[in-house]
């Protein structure tokens, strides 16, 4: 179920959908040249308390793609299998929840609300147990950036401040380049992230009720 709009964002020719390697690549069972998959480490508040180490339990970053206009897109798979952070889970996603996420992404895209760009769903022969046996589905998506607040938190709470500075400098260089040479760039960066996030969450919340009903 490939999405041509998402494919166009990285200049992916829709004819590539018909290649036999396509479901293997976007189902998590094959890699293209240059891909170096990784699961991302972070920390944060979960179940009402701070958890010092979390991570992608079923998501994998395959790599970064630049399109013809030099936009950067991160390519992710969700549900492709176990990662170092699966915490005794199987790293799989089931059909029902995957379709729900895919449709919600498409709906928000149609409303002009920033969200993940969903490319495709790939079915697997595998079944997993979630109160009962359910079919497995893997989905692939693009994101302009995939650095969580928790990516900063894990370095802060570990007192790894040099790593924290390196991460902040990287994010500013890649995604907030207008702040690179300003005074108090870290404070300006923090302020802009807070303002952007507030506006984004407000947009999400505005449609959460109708889309969830």
């Amino acid at each position: 179920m490939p999405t041509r709009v998402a494919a166009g964002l990285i200049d992916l020719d829709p004819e590539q959908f018909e290649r036999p390697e396509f479901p293997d690549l976007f189902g998590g069972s094959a890699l293209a040249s240059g891909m170096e998959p990784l699961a991302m480490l972070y920390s944060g508040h979960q179940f009402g308390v701070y958890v010092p180490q979390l991570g992608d339990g079923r998501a994998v970053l395959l790599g970064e793609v630049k399109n013809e206009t030099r936009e950067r897109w991160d390519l992710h798979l969700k549900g492709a299998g176990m990662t170092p952070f699966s915490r005794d889970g199987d790293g799989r996603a089931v059909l029902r929840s995957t379709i729900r996420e895919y449709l919600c992404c498409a709906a928000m895209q149609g409303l002009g609300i920033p969200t993940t760009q969903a490319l495709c769903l790939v079915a697997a022969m595998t079944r997993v147990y979630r109160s009962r046996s359910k079919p497995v589905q893997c989905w692939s998506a693009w994101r302009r950036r995939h650095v969580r607040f928790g990516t900063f938190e894990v370095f802060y709470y570990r007192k790894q401040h040099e790593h924290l500075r390196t991460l902040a400098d990287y994010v500013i260089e890649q995604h907030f380049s207008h702040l690179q040479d300003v005074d108090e760039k870290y404070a300006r960066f923090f302020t802009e992230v807070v303002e952007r996030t507030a506006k984004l969450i407000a947009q999400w919340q505005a449609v959460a009720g109708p889309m969830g009903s």
Side-chain angles (χ1 to χ4, degrees), residues 28-212:
S29 59
L31 295 174
S33 175
M35 286 183 174
E36 297 181 6
L38 60 88
M40 299 179 70
L41 170 70
Y42 56 95
S43 64
H45 293 78
Q46 189 171 16
F47 309 119
V49 298
Y50 177 73
V51 182
Q53 179 172 305
L54 297 167
D56 291 328
R58 59 177 179 174
V60 175
L61 171 65
L62 293 181
E64 181 185 79
V65 179
K66 289 183 183 178
N67 62 18
E68 291 182 351
T69 61
R70 308 299 292 174
E71 290 179 332
R72 298 172 181 267
W73 292 92
D74 286 349
L75 171 57
H76 284 256
L77 298 183
K78 188 169 185 179
M82 293 180 64
T83 78
F85 307 109
S86 292
R87 298 181 294 281
D88 298 324
D90 54 36
R92 295 292 190 174
V94 298
L95 180 63
R96 181 183 63 182
S97 61
T98 303
I99 290 177
R100 182 173 62 242
E101 289 190 57
Y102 185 91
L103 292 177
C104 284
C105 286
M108 286 199 289
Q109 289 167 24
L111 292 169
I113 299 173
T115 185
T116 297
Q117 301 286 331
L119 176 70
C120 65
L121 304 178
V122 178
M125 299 298 293
T126 309
R127 298 181 71 89
V128 294
Y129 191 80
R130 304 282 192 272
S131 72
R132 64 180 186 275
S133 178
K134 295 184 178 181
V136 165
Q137 198 93 8
C138 178
W139 75 300
S140 57
W142 316 139
R143 295 180 178 91
R144 290 298 299 272
R145 61 188 66 88
H146 195 65
V147 179
R148 297 177 176 86
F149 296 137
T151 313
F152 287 88
E153 282 187 286
V154 72
F155 292 137
Y156 174 79
Y157 283 103
R158 290 180 177 183
K159 301 186 184 303
Q160 295 175 318
H161 296 151
E162 285 304 311
H163 292 336
L164 186 63
R165 183 184 296 273
T166 298
L167 177 62
D169 287 341
Y170 172 80
V171 174
I172 290 171
E173 178 188 355
Q174 297 298 323
H175 303 294
F176 294 81
S177 57
H178 59 286
L179 299 177
Q180 277 190 277
D181 300 319
V182 302
D183 294 334
E184 300 183 345
K185 69 175 181 179
Y186 300 119
R188 296 270 299 272
F189 168 60
F190 179 77
T191 299
E192 188 165 330
V193 168
V194 170
E195 291 175 349
R196 288 193 188 189
T197 302
K199 292 177 182 178
L200 177 61
I201 297 303
Q203 289 179 292
W204 285 355
Q205 290 290 88
V207 299
M211 289 177 65

